[in-house]
Amino acid sequence: MMQLVDLEKAFQAKIDQEIKIEPKDWMPDAYRKTNIRQISQHAHSEVIGMLPEGNWISRAPSLKRKAILIAKVQDEAGHGLYLYSAAETLGMSREQMTEDLLSGKAKYSSIFNYPTLTWADMGAIGWLVDGAAILNQVMLCRTSYGPYARANVRICKEESFHQRQGFETLMVLSQGTPEQKAMCQDAINRWWWPALMMFGPTDSESTNSDTSIKWKIKRKTNDELRQQFVDMAVQQVKVLGMTLPDPDLKWNEERQHYDFGEINWTEFWNVVKGNGPCNKQRLDAKKKAHEEGAWVRAAAVAHAQKKAARTTQKVA
Ligand code: BYC
């Protein structure tokens, strides 16, 4: 029988050779645990992320915009489903994940605890929030756990449409009336800093990064991805004819990157700990939906049981 150290060595060798880890493969407990943590939090983010945008479906300015927004929000539900399924392959039940979300034990992305005040927020979310998420998820298409990597491939295909529709929404507003231009700039101002926080704490504060990089769960650090995002957004905002709300943004010739101002980490940790502007509202909405959906889950189970009983009768 193989010793634990040998199993661990063989596991790391597989990772180093870029061989994907699959559900039935041996893996260290900590690898399983951190994947369950990250994948389930990612799934919760997709599902909670439906709420700020769902808020605008009834108020979208045209039938076309309404149809696009409904499709986007529906896509996010699908992303949640792929990810919950990926986490289930690691032995975590869907019921447990839901319970952890509703009890506040499991985290979801800080970004979804901010309010959506105007129509321009739909554009800013698509451009900045989906834009930040894509950078992270493109990296995760190459994550070492097979089911998580494959879920991200599919997510990224849909996500790039989301980002384009957000940018196009802002583009239209940025060429509109003075009020529309002001609304566009205001949305960018409010979403910019929270979008930068999506990448997580700085590398020196990130507790999970070292092991996640060693196991190739993450291929880039939080700060590397954040910098990539800043460099990209600085160019894109010029196309919109708008500005980013950071007086310290400046090209650094030596680093070949843009320098940017200090993120308000006190605000970030406050939001992560449940004290952001909309944390309570988001969890209350999810709890209500869960309670109101109880009869659907009961009916689905009853239907499945009836079908199974009929099949058994036929076989007999
Ligand atoms: N918010 O050690 P670290 C979407 C936590 S949805 C809250 O660096 P890690 C969309 C972190 O969990 C897509 N918590 O962690 C949907 C950890 O606490 P625990 C969202 C955060 O895991 C609808 C602690 O801080 N994308 O696109 O190595 C509409 C220390 O951090 C955050 C994902 O979910 C945060 N921002 O790296 C529109 C991506 N940041 O767990 C759009 C998947 C950190 O030890 N997740 N924390 O208690 C990841 O890639 C990684 O988990 C992170 C953090 C980069 C976020």
Side-chain angles (χ1 to χ4, degrees):
M1 220 171 85
M2 264 176 117
Q3 298 287 315
L4 189 60
V5 278
D6 297 329
L7 286 167
E8 278 171 357
K9 262 193 205 151
F11 174 81
Q12 189 62 49
K14 249 173 146 177
I15 302 263
D16 295 342
Q17 290 165 52
E18 301 292 336
I19 299 170
K20 290 267 178 275
I21 306 301
E22 296 299 337
K24 289 190 176 151
D25 294 347
W26 186 89
M27 61 186 86
D29 280 348
Y31 178 86
R32 185 183 298 277
K33 222 170 134 198
T34 202
N35 261 298
I36 291 176
R37 176 189 66 79
Q38 181 169 325
I39 303 170
S40 63
Q41 289 179 8
H42 193 163
H44 298 327
S45 302
E46 300 282 357
V47 170
I48 295 282
M50 294 164 75
L51 297 169
E53 287 176 290
N55 186 33
W56 277 89
I57 290 174
S58 61
R59 290 175 289 159
S62 68
L63 182 60
K64 184 182 120 189
R65 293 289 181 197
K66 194 192 282 276
I68 294 171
L69 188 58
I70 290 174
K72 179 187 190 296
V73 172
Q74 198 168 309
D75 282 352
E76 309 298 358
H79 298 174
L81 293 184
Y82 314 151
L83 291 163
Y84 282 128
S85 302
E88 279 176 316
T89 65
L90 288 160
M92 178 67 146
S93 75
R94 184 75 178 271
E95 289 74 17
Q96 187 62 50
M97 286 187 267
T98 307
E99 204 181 302
D100 289 349
L101 170 67
L102 298 182
S103 71
K105 187 177 163 209
K107 294 188 170 76
Y108 59 86
S109 183
S110 50
I111 193 79
F112 303 116
N113 294 305
Y114 290 85
T116 42
L117 304 179
T118 70
W119 171 251
D121 288 19
M122 298 304 96
I125 289 183
W127 175 41
L128 295 172
V129 176
D130 288 272
I134 291 172
L135 284 186
N136 179 275
Q137 288 162 169
V138 164
M139 167 191 80
L140 291 173
C141 289
R142 295 191 302 122
T143 192
S144 57
Y145 187 57
Y148 190 28
R150 292 189 285 275
N152 274 294
V153 170
R154 207 161 153 183
I155 290 172
C156 280
K157 290 201 173 125
E158 292 168 349
E159 211 75 277
S160 40
F161 150 75
H162 296 172
Q163 195 205 13
R164 291 290 286 273
Q165 69 82 33
F167 193 76
E168 196 265 342
T169 299
L170 291 186
M171 196 71 182
V172 170
L173 290 174
S174 71
Q175 292 166 2
T177 62
E179 287 81 3
Q180 286 172 320
K181 284 182 186 170
M183 195 163 86
C184 180
Q185 184 61 62
D186 170 64
I188 294 171
N189 292 349
R190 283 183 290 104
W191 288 94
W192 173 247
W193 292 105
L196 292 191
M197 293 174 195
M198 283 177 76
F199 296 97
T202 54
D203 294 349
S204 55
E205 298 288 318
S206 165
T207 41
N208 302 294
S209 277
D210 286 353
T211 39
S212 286
I213 296 251
K214 179 180 105 182
W215 284 330
K216 295 187 181 165
I217 295 170
K218 282 160 82 162
R219 302 231 173 204
K220 288 185 183 172
T221 69
N222 300 358
D223 286 334
E224 281 169 348
L225 280 176
R226 188 169 14 246
Q227 182 69 63
Q228 199 180 333
F229 178 70
V230 170
D231 292 346
M232 191 184 79
V234 170
Q235 301 307 329
Q236 293 177 346
V237 81
K238 288 183 198 160
V239 181
L240 289 174
M242 296 281 139
T243 56
L244 295 172
D246 181 358
D248 295 327
L249 257 182
K250 201 166 162 253
W251 177 250
N252 183 324
E253 191 59 35
E254 208 173 297
R255 292 199 311 120
Q256 290 288 300
H257 286 296
Y258 279 89
D259 288 337
F260 54 97
E262 177 69 15
I263 291 170
N264 184 343
W265 293 113
T266 312
E267 174 183 322
F268 170 73
W269 288 116
N270 243 331
V271 176
V272 172
K273 284 181 192 139
N275 305 317
C278 299
N279 293 62
K280 186 173 175 325
Q281 189 181 326
R282 301 289 180 242
L283 270 192
D284 284 352
K286 194 72 194 92
K287 277 181 201 155
K288 184 165 174 277
H290 190 68
E291 279 159 21
E292 288 176 359
W295 71 270
V296 180
R297 293 191 295 281
V301 169
H303 178 72
Q305 281 169 345
K306 215 166 162 191
K307 215 168 151 193
R310 256 193 253 126
T311 316
T312 321
Q313 265 174 10
K314 263 190 208 160
V315 173

